[in-house]
Amino acid sequence: MDDTRTKLLEAAGPIFADHGFQATTVRDICQRAGVNLASVNYYFGDKERLYVETVKRAHGLAVDQVPLPDWSDDTPPEVKLRDFVRTLIERMIGVKHASWQMRLMMREILQPSAACRELVESYFRPHLDVLLGILDEMLPASAPEHRRAQLAFSLVGQCLYYRVAGEIVNMLVPEEQRQRWFSPPQLADHIAQVMLAALGRTEPLSTQLQSDCATGVCHTD
Amino acid sequence: MDDTRTKLLEAAGPIFADHGFQATTVRDICQRAGVNLASVNYYFGDKERLYVETVKRAHGLAVDQVPLPDWSDDTPPEVKLRDFVRTLIERMIGVKHASWQMRLMMREILQPSAACRELVESYFRPHLDVLLGILDEMLPASAPEHRRAQLAFSLVGQCLYYRVAGEIVNMLVPEEQRQRWFSPPQLADHIAQVMLAALGRTEPLSTQLQSDCATGVCHTD
DNA sequence: AGGCGTTTAATACACTTGTTTGAAACGGGC
DNA sequence: GCCCGTTTCAAACAAGTGTATTAAACGCCT
């Protein structure tokens, strides 16, 4: 399928992700796609319709690219939580240092547009439900609903941070330290450790870091 | 001081924050400021210079608006950490549901421009140092530097989340639940609890939530 | 008052934007 | 071949953009 329509969609993705809706020009997209200027209006009606289609396609590709593992019924919740974090981090910053799909979705998160409602229901809500299910296995039944949600947001927030503020992290952390200690799996394991320690499923971090700090960090498998 | 220059800066702030650099027009700014179209070129040379000045001014105002408390020397680190989180959250979503200053800075975080380097050195770095100092008081001396940084990012990430993904949270959490349990101080206390529990300075959350969940949540003072 | 540097004002100028147009090219079916 | 709907193309359009220009108004000193 390399018809003009899909060529347009594929060209539009990275450009919209980089510059946002307003700042990208249909001329730019058409040039990148190698098609005539009028094509976007012919196939999508106008620029905005093309944008919405691009966003939909983006999150479709994003979930396919790094899917959640399907756990067996006896997988302990600690492992599920760690896997969940790893998947999130991988989607955020793993795939070739941030795919255009994620960059585009990030724009929608920060400034929701017409394409966003669908994004929430078909992407965020299901993932939140999975995470809430994992947390339920570790929390007492008396834990109120809003605390579960806030815990989920705490976890997601830590992952999202490296996507949103990645450039800032790059400026704050020296190059060599970043290379050695800030790889996606390392960050994922750190976040999982924080959450598990907070939930009381692991020793607190301060005691973990007291003894044997070399091996305590990189149990990456 | 209501000369044209400052009128321009004050008008430009919210508009740049809402629409970004590209999508805002100097005509819009001048109209809102009630000054002539040519003024921006007269006072700032061009649109970009005005933008940079606006960003600088934004973070100047942001720190003044909600300053960090100055703790006495014997303030326990747990209190400092909680205060730090509260300050961050207050800056993120507290002041009249997100001031334009924060919205503008958020744009720079997500997509750094020329004005960003200065933002990092004069705003983010000092705050990070304060936070690292607080964490140092709770961590063993053997804790490696990169883990401290990651812990700091975990904390900041959780706070940033409600600013970045605030609209998504609004769609995911029912209105009434949001009204009751998602006020800035409540969110701040939750995040502080997570971090303190992870560090082992409090009981784990799962046991906290087991007993007496009604009073355990809202120690707002 | 008069002169002068500073500020404001209206307008014009290129230029880019999204979109439209109408004709040309294509691809089968009879 | 010829007709047809579909797709491509180059060009043009109208609106909106940042910026430049020019003259008028202002404030202030002597």
Side-chain angles (χ1 to χ4, degrees):
Chain A
M1 287 295 173
D2 58 341
D3 59 338
T4 329
R5 208 188 121 93
T6 59
K7 272 196 286 190
L8 271 175
L9 280 171
E10 299 211 339
I15 302 181
F16 276 136
D18 280 344
H19 307 86
F21 174 74
Q22 281 267 13
T24 73
T25 69
V26 301
R27 279 172 174 79
D28 203 6
I29 293 175
C30 289
Q31 189 179 350
R32 177 107 140 222
V35 304
N36 187 268
L37 170 62
S39 305
V40 34
N41 282 65
Y42 180 76
Y43 282 103
F44 297 93
D46 58 8
K47 183 186 174 187
E48 185 163 12
R49 235 91 56 93
L50 168 60
Y51 178 75
V52 174
E53 290 299 315
T54 307
V55 172
K56 285 188 191 172
R57 186 163 170 276
H59 83 259
L61 294 176
V63 292
D64 295 349
Q65 216 163 0
V66 186
L68 278 175
D70 46 349
W71 300 288
S72 64
D73 290 347
D74 58 348
T75 308
E78 291 87 352
V79 173
K80 289 188 192 173
L81 186 132
R82 200 200 51 183
D83 288 349
F84 189 92
V85 173
R86 284 189 185 177
T87 306
L88 241 58
I89 282 281
E90 187 64 22
R91 284 189 192 152
M92 295 294 165
I93 58 173
V95 188
K96 70 178 171 60
H97 199 56
S99 56
W100 63 265
Q101 291 91 341
M102 262 302 153
R103 276 177 289 152
L104 192 51
M105 289 174 65
M106 213 51 54
R107 285 193 178 276
E108 282 298 314
I109 289 175
L110 193 64
Q111 209 165 45
S113 79
C116 192
R117 190 114 237 158
E118 185 164 357
L119 208 68
V120 169
E121 294 309 326
S122 69
Y123 185 91
F124 297 117
R125 177 99 58 192
H127 277 74
L128 178 61
D129 288 339
V130 171
L131 178 53
L132 287 174
I134 297 173
L135 290 174
D136 274 347
E137 297 183 47
M138 299 194 251
L139 287 171
S142 61
E145 194 148 357
H146 66 273
R147 298 303 305 263
R148 299 167 200 245
Q150 286 166 358
L151 274 169
F153 293 151
S154 281
L155 188 147
V156 176
Q158 290 175 70
C159 298
L160 207 61
Y161 181 76
Y162 291 98
R163 166 100 293 278
V164 172
E167 291 294 321
I168 308 296
V169 171
N170 288 351
M171 298 193 210
L172 286 173
V173 178
E175 173 87 14
E176 57 169 355
Q177 194 179 358
R178 238 167 50 224
Q179 299 286 344
R180 284 196 57 177
W181 303 108
F182 282 71
S183 73
Q186 286 170 323
L187 291 177
D189 284 357
H190 163 80
I191 295 170
Q193 273 182 38
V194 168
M195 294 309 291
L196 289 174
L199 289 167
R201 313 295 284 204
T202 325
E203 285 184 50
L205 277 175
S206 52
T207 70
Q208 282 187 46
L209 292 172
Q210 205 156 14
S211 58
D212 197 11
C213 59
T215 65
V217 173
C218 326
H219 32 62
T220 51
D221 47 5
Chain B
M1 288 296 172
D2 58 340
D3 59 339
T4 9
R5 206 188 122 93
T6 58
K7 272 196 284 188
L8 273 174
L9 280 172
E10 299 212 339
I15 302 181
F16 276 135
D18 280 344
H19 306 87
F21 174 74
Q22 282 267 10
T24 72
T25 70
V26 301
R27 278 172 175 79
D28 203 5
I29 294 175
C30 290
Q31 190 179 351
R32 177 107 139 222
V35 304
N36 186 267
L37 170 62
S39 305
V40 35
N41 281 61
Y42 180 76
Y43 282 103
F44 298 93
D46 58 8
K47 183 186 173 186
E48 186 163 10
R49 234 90 56 94
L50 167 60
Y51 178 75
V52 173
E53 290 300 314
T54 307
V55 173
K56 285 187 192 172
R57 186 164 170 276
H59 83 259
L61 293 178
V63 292
D64 294 348
Q65 215 163 1
V66 186
L68 279 174
D70 47 349
W71 300 287
S72 64
D73 290 346
D74 58 348
T75 307
E78 291 88 352
V79 173
K80 289 188 192 172
L81 186 131
R82 199 200 51 184
D83 288 348
F84 190 92
V85 173
R86 283 190 185 177
T87 306
L88 241 61
I89 283 281
E90 187 64 22
R91 284 187 192 153
M92 295 292 165
I93 57 174
V95 188
K96 69 177 172 62
H97 199 57
S99 57
W100 64 265
Q101 290 93 339
M102 264 301 154
R103 277 179 289 153
L104 191 52
M105 288 174 66
M106 214 50 53
R107 285 192 178 275
E108 282 299 314
I109 290 176
L110 192 64
Q111 207 166 45
S113 78
C116 192
R117 188 114 238 158
E118 184 165 358
L119 208 68
V120 170
E121 295 308 326
S122 70
Y123 185 92
F124 297 117
R125 176 100 57 192
H127 276 75
L128 178 61
D129 288 339
V130 171
L131 178 52
L132 287 174
I134 298 173
L135 290 174
D136 275 347
E137 297 185 47
M138 300 194 249
L139 287 171
S142 61
E145 194 148 359
H146 67 273
R147 297 303 306 264
R148 298 168 200 245
Q150 285 166 0
L151 273 170
F153 293 150
S154 282
L155 187 148
V156 176
Q158 290 175 70
C159 298
L160 207 61
Y161 180 77
Y162 291 98
R163 166 100 293 277
V164 171
E167 290 295 319
I168 307 296
V169 171
N170 287 351
M171 298 191 211
L172 287 172
V173 178
E175 172 86 14
E176 57 168 354
Q177 195 179 356
R178 237 166 52 223
Q179 299 287 344
R180 284 196 56 178
W181 304 107
F182 282 71
S183 72
Q186 286 170 323
L187 292 177
D189 284 356
H190 163 80
I191 294 170
Q193 272 182 41
V194 168
M195 294 309 291
L196 290 174
L199 290 168
R201 313 295 284 205
T202 326
E203 284 184 51
L205 277 175
S206 51
T207 69
Q208 282 187 46
L209 292 172
Q210 206 157 15
S211 57
D212 197 10
C213 57
T215 64
V217 173
C218 325
H219 33 62
T220 50
D221 48 3

